Amino acid sequence: SLCLSSHNPSIEQHHKQCWNIIGSGIFISPKGVLEHAGSVGLSLIVWVCGGGICALGSLCYAELGVTIPKSGGDYSYVTEIFGGLVGFLLLWSAVLIMYPTTLAVIALTFSNYVLQPAFQNCLPPFIATRLLATICILFLTWVNCSSVRWATRIQDVFTVGKLLALVLIIVVGLIQISRGHYDALRPSVAFEFSEDPSVGQIALAFLQASFAYSGWNFLNYVTEEVVEPRKNLPRAIYVSIPLVTLVYTMTNIAYFSSMTPEELLASNAVAVTFGEKLLGMFSWVMPISVALSTFGGINGYLFTSSRLCFSGAREGHLPYLLAMIHLKNCTPIPALLLCCIATIVILCIGETHNLINYVSFINYLSYGVTIAGLLYLRKKRPNLARPIKVNMLVPITYMIFWAVLLGFSLYSEPVVCGLGMVIMLTGVPVYFVGVQWKEKPKWVYRLLEKVTYMGQKLCYVVFPQEDTSETEPLTAFKATD
């Protein structure tokens, strides 16, 4: 199929969508899903339903993608539908919360899986995990700053680790089940609850699962590059979402074929524990495979997050320095450095489980606002050309689930989820002062000019346009924006 993808753009887009969703989240989220669901059976239901919700969201995004054929995903759609403020808030939350927090979670997972074999009977030291995660972030930031080619090659090579780990887990799990090792999966046992689950806890279980499914809207960030989006966006959804749901559900079933729920909850690195129980002398394969997968995941998120900063800066919603690229390497160094710094701050102060709830809540908030935009557009512009038009039940069903999920998540984790909302709302005064206020004092423009000029000299960056007049540190027409 990989050979076919090089000759068939449609197949290639299906692969991109599928492998972008299947990420390191499946090695992180199972513990959190089980903890909040309270039983094996309900946790598996959450994984299946999570895939179904992603399918509904993907269909809505497919309609938006061909109705508003702009790359940039949520940010582009919301800015087009609701205007600059709402678009800016989504961009603000993505730059300060979504991407840095996701990177921090994946980096901490990388360090846990690398260090866990050396600390088999206890958790790896806090400082050691943070130090290794920071080194990983710094190294991959340097790679992305140095060469786009290196970054893409790392992504291609390290995808192998992701596939190797998942194939190994599922195959070994199926062998275990064929031998009769499925006690935890028997219905009489699978739905035993230590305590009755609340709606709030089930909502948090969905948040944990949604972290593993994040990436389902990837193709909407490059809509302008998709060949025949009217045909290929729906095809990518119909192929990728069911396949990813199957892989994730089978991976969890494989975990439960060898581990009791108590063992899974006690494990700091689920796949490592799985390998130690079943692979014997080859157990070392599992931590290496997962480390390769998470390493590639960090690289991919760094690449896409810097691209979003770059897009926002070109729209005038972020400092112009973030829209500049290296003069020789053509890499967005200022945007990469911003993402790197934000990630290191978050991973030093956060704990993986809470960080997942934190970022998943904000992710779902942005998805809901975007799909609400679809409903708003249907009402305000009913005659707008829509090459793809989903049944109204699809966005309405998604919005009902969205409202229930966010409401009960906020009730169950008011501090973690509320903090994300507060940080997002801090973007309101920033927008009015930084973007909306046009007649700023001259000293503000002079300060911006000096900072931009220093940034250009330090990073050796310029505006990417061919017109040399736009490579000045801060041109006059920029200052009057």
Side-chain angles (χ1 to χ4, degrees):
S1 62
L2 290 175
C3 292
L4 284 171
S5 70
S6 62
H7 301 288
N8 189 327
S10 173
I11 296 176
E12 184 176 9
Q13 284 149 14
H14 300 168
H15 286 166
K16 283 182 179 179
Q17 176 81 339
C18 186
W19 300 133
N20 193 72
I21 301 173
I22 298 178
S24 49
I26 187 58
F27 306 116
I28 306 168
S29 296
K31 180 177 176 178
V33 173
L34 178 61
E35 182 179 346
H36 290 296
S39 75
V40 172
L42 186 55
S43 71
L44 293 176
I45 290 173
V46 167
W47 282 106
V48 174
C49 292
I53 295 301
C54 285
L56 295 178
S58 297
L59 289 170
C60 296
Y61 270 63
E63 177 176 325
L64 286 169
V66 295
T67 305
I68 306 172
K70 291 183 178 180
S71 293
D74 316 60
Y75 169 62
S76 296
Y77 307 146
V78 168
T79 302
E80 181 79 16
I81 297 167
F82 294 122
L85 175 59
V86 182
F88 177 81
L89 290 179
L90 251 66
L91 178 67
W92 180 257
S93 61
V95 172
L96 291 185
I97 301 174
M98 293 182 201
Y99 282 111
T101 306
T102 302
L103 278 164
V105 170
I106 300 173
L108 288 172
T109 304
F110 167 81
S111 60
N112 277 327
Y113 271 91
V114 170
L115 295 172
Q116 191 61 47
F119 297 91
Q120 295 186 2
N121 299 319
C122 62
L123 295 177
F126 179 90
I127 294 177
T129 55
R130 267 60 185 180
L131 183 60
L132 183 57
T134 301
I135 291 170
C136 178
I137 293 289
L138 290 172
F139 174 74
L140 285 173
T141 301
W142 173 77
V143 169
N144 278 268
C145 287
S146 301
S147 171
V148 174
R149 183 180 297 177
W150 290 2
T152 52
R153 282 182 178 175
I154 284 177
Q155 198 64 23
D156 293 339
V157 170
F158 282 84
T159 298
V160 175
K162 179 195 306 182
L163 304 182
L164 176 62
L166 288 174
V167 169
L168 195 57
I169 290 169
I170 292 173
V171 170
V172 172
L174 290 175
I175 292 172
Q176 281 288 98
I177 291 172
S178 69
R179 292 175 177 174
H181 300 286
Y182 51 84
D183 291 342
L185 297 168
R186 296 179 189 275
S188 57
V189 178
F191 288 95
E192 286 184 356
F193 295 93
S194 54
E195 58 182 53
D196 292 335
S198 65
V199 178
Q201 289 300 310
I202 295 173
L204 291 176
F206 271 101
L207 282 189
Q208 291 283 322
S210 72
F211 182 79
Y213 281 106
S214 60
W216 54 263
N217 59 338
F218 167 72
L219 283 182
N220 291 78
Y221 281 87
V222 288
T223 304
E224 293 168 341
E225 302 168 27
V226 176
V227 179
E228 296 184 47
R230 181 182 177 183
K231 293 181 179 179
N232 289 326
L233 277 175
R235 285 177 182 173
I237 294 164
Y238 298 144
V239 172
S240 62
I241 301 293
L243 179 59
V244 172
T245 304
L246 177 64
V247 169
Y248 281 3
T249 306
M250 292 304 298
T251 301
N252 279 273
I253 288 172
Y255 287 148
F256 293 122
S257 72
S258 63
M259 287 185 280
T260 64
E262 294 74 21
E263 286 176 322
L264 193 148
L265 291 173
S267 173
N268 190 49
V270 179
V272 170
T273 305
F274 178 88
E276 288 171 350
K277 288 178 72 75
L278 295 182
L279 299 181
M281 62 182 293
F282 295 103
S283 61
W284 56 267
V285 173
M286 196 56 67
I288 290 176
S289 298
V290 177
L292 292 176
S293 172
T294 49
F295 193 80
I298 296 166
N299 182 70
Y301 267 97
L302 269 174
F303 190 86
T304 52
S305 62
S306 61
R307 184 173 183 170
L308 183 62
C309 286
F310 180 84
S311 300
R314 295 194 69 176
E315 291 289 328
H317 283 171
L318 290 174
Y320 292 113
L321 180 62
L322 298 177
M324 297 184 186
I325 60 175
H326 191 269
L327 191 60
K328 293 182 179 178
N329 298 332
C330 297
T331 53
I333 292 179
L336 284 163
L337 292 178
L338 174 66
C339 192
C340 174
I341 293 167
T343 301
I344 291 172
V345 170
I346 289 173
L347 70 82
C348 288
I349 61 175
E351 182 270 326
T352 304
H353 179 81
N354 286 334
L355 288 177
I356 291 175
N357 285 339
Y358 173 65
V359 72
S360 297
F361 181 85
I362 296 299
N363 271 334
Y364 257 107
L365 191 60
S366 67
Y367 298 154
V369 170
T370 305
I371 292 173
L374 182 148
L375 294 173
Y376 179 82
L377 207 60
R378 285 277 190 99
K379 182 179 180 181
K380 290 295 182 181
R381 301 182 65 183
N383 298 322
L384 186 67
R386 292 176 174 85
I388 297 173
K389 189 173 183 179
V390 298
N391 189 292
M392 281 292 284
L393 284 175
V394 174
I396 290 172
T397 303
Y398 187 93
M399 291 303 296
I400 292 171
F401 174 83
W402 173 82
V404 172
L405 177 73
L406 292 193
F408 280 100
S409 298
L410 189 59
Y411 175 79
S412 300
E413 288 278 7
V415 176
V416 173
C417 298
L419 180 62
M421 290 190 67
V422 169
I423 293 175
M424 176 183 275
L425 292 175
T426 59
V428 175
V430 174
Y431 175 79
F432 284 108
V433 173
V435 179
Q436 194 73 13
W437 183 21
K438 303 296 184 183
E439 302 298 326
K440 299 183 184 70
K442 290 183 179 180
W443 66 266
V444 173
Y445 292 115
R446 285 197 295 268
L447 178 62
L448 288 173
E449 182 176 352
K450 288 180 181 178
V451 171
T452 305
Y453 183 65
M454 288 175 60
Q456 284 186 266
K457 291 181 72 175
L458 286 171
C459 300
Y460 201 49
V461 292
V462 294
F463 285 109
Q465 288 87 351
E466 292 181 4
D467 184 359
T468 56
S469 67
E470 294 194 53
T471 62
E472 295 297 323
L474 194 65
T475 54
F477 76 87
K478 297 282 185 192
T480 58
D481 253 1

